[in-house]
């Protein structure tokens, strides 16, 4: 089988012994106080050379916050918030105006419908049948009979009478004289 050792417990001695880990991390203050290494065990950390032990651990330095960078980021964030706010405000106004337009269009359609109804009532009240009925009942009028009709004829044809303009101006008289010569 491939996993013959799957029931064996893990060796946790590596995590229990702090001296091996501490000696690899801390630099000794004096060469004489250097602890003697213990014999190597299974699964223990082995230090490869003395140079590795003597190197100090690099600490992560905390970056100093640059005031210009922070203020620039704050200004940029404020600009983004203002632009987003203006966009939202514009959309709200646009929505309100669209609602007003829709309500005005609804009122316009109602008024057009009312106008059409009133126009039909007026047309119905002024129809020729209604006028004839009103003339007969209220005014005592009647339709013209053939005996009441009289025809007029013109045998000589159509005639046109022209009136002359009277010109009081001397220049108009001279212009008329020249125009009569050419005619």
């Amino acid at each position: 089988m491939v996993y013959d050792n799957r029931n064996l417990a893990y060796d946790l001695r590596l995590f229990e012994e702090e001296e091996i880990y501490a000696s690899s991390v801390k630099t000794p203050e004096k060469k004489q106080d250097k602890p003697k290494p213990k014999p190597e065990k299974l699964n223990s950390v082995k230090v490869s050379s003395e140079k590795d032990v003597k190197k100090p651990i690099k600490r992560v330095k905390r970056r100093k916050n640059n005031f210009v960078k922070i203020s620039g980021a704050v200004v940029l964030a404020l600009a983004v918030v203002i632009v987003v706010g203006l966009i939202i405000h514009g959309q709200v106004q646009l929505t309100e105006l669209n609602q007003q337009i829709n309500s005005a269009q609804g009122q316009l359609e109602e008024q057009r419908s009312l106008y059409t109804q009133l126009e039909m009532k007026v047309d119905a009240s002024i129809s020729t049948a209604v006028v004839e009925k009103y003339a007969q009942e209220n005014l005592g009028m009647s339709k013209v009979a053939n005996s009441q009709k009289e025809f007029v004829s013109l045998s000589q044809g159509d005639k046109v009478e022209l009136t002359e303009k009277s010109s009081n101006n001397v220049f108009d008289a001279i212009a008329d004289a020249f125009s009569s010569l050419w005619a």
Side-chain angles (χ1 to χ4, degrees), residues 88-180:
I88 291 172
H89 180 69
Q91 291 295 326
V92 167
Q93 284 184 338
L94 186 63
T95 303
E96 289 175 356
L97 290 176
N98 281 337
Q99 289 174 350
Q100 289 176 358
I101 288 170
N102 289 337
S103 66
Q105 285 177 342
Q107 289 176 355
L108 178 64
E109 290 299 320
E110 289 176 16
Q111 294 299 322
R112 283 184 180 166
S113 174
L114 181 63
Y115 174 75
T116 305
Q117 289 175 357
L118 292 175
E119 190 175 38
M120 291 175 69
K121 284 182 183 178
V122 168
D123 288 343
S125 66
I126 302 180
S127 69
T128 56
V130 172
V131 171
E132 286 178 7
K133 184 178 178 184
Y134 180 80
Q136 287 175 355
E137 292 176 1
N138 295 341
L139 301 176
M141 300 175 124
S142 63
K143 285 189 174 184
V144 178
N146 286 335
S147 62
Q148 295 175 333
K149 293 181 184 176
E150 191 174 315
F151 295 98
V152 177
S153 65
L154 295 174
S155 59
Q156 298 174 357
D158 295 337
K159 292 185 181 180
V160 177
E161 290 184 26
L162 295 175
T163 58
E164 287 188 35
K165 283 198 234 175
S166 61
S167 61
N168 299 335
N169 194 351
V170 175
F171 297 111
D172 289 335
I174 294 170
D176 289 338
F178 279 114
S179 64
S180 65

Side-chain angles (χ1 to χ4, degrees), residues 11 25-26 30 39 45 52 56 70 73 76 97 135 157 165 173 177 179:
D11 188 13
V25 173
K26 292 183 181 179
K30 297 179 183 176
V45 176
D52 292 337
I70 292 174
L76 182 65
L97 290 176
K165 283 198 234 175
S179 64

Side-chain angles (χ1 to χ4, degrees), residues 4-5 38 51-52 57 59 65 72 97 99 154 161:
D4 288 335
N5 296 329
K38 294 184 180 179
K51 291 181 181 179
D52 292 337
I57 296 176
R59 292 186 180 186
N65 294 329
L97 290 176
Q99 289 174 350
L154 295 174
E161 290 184 26

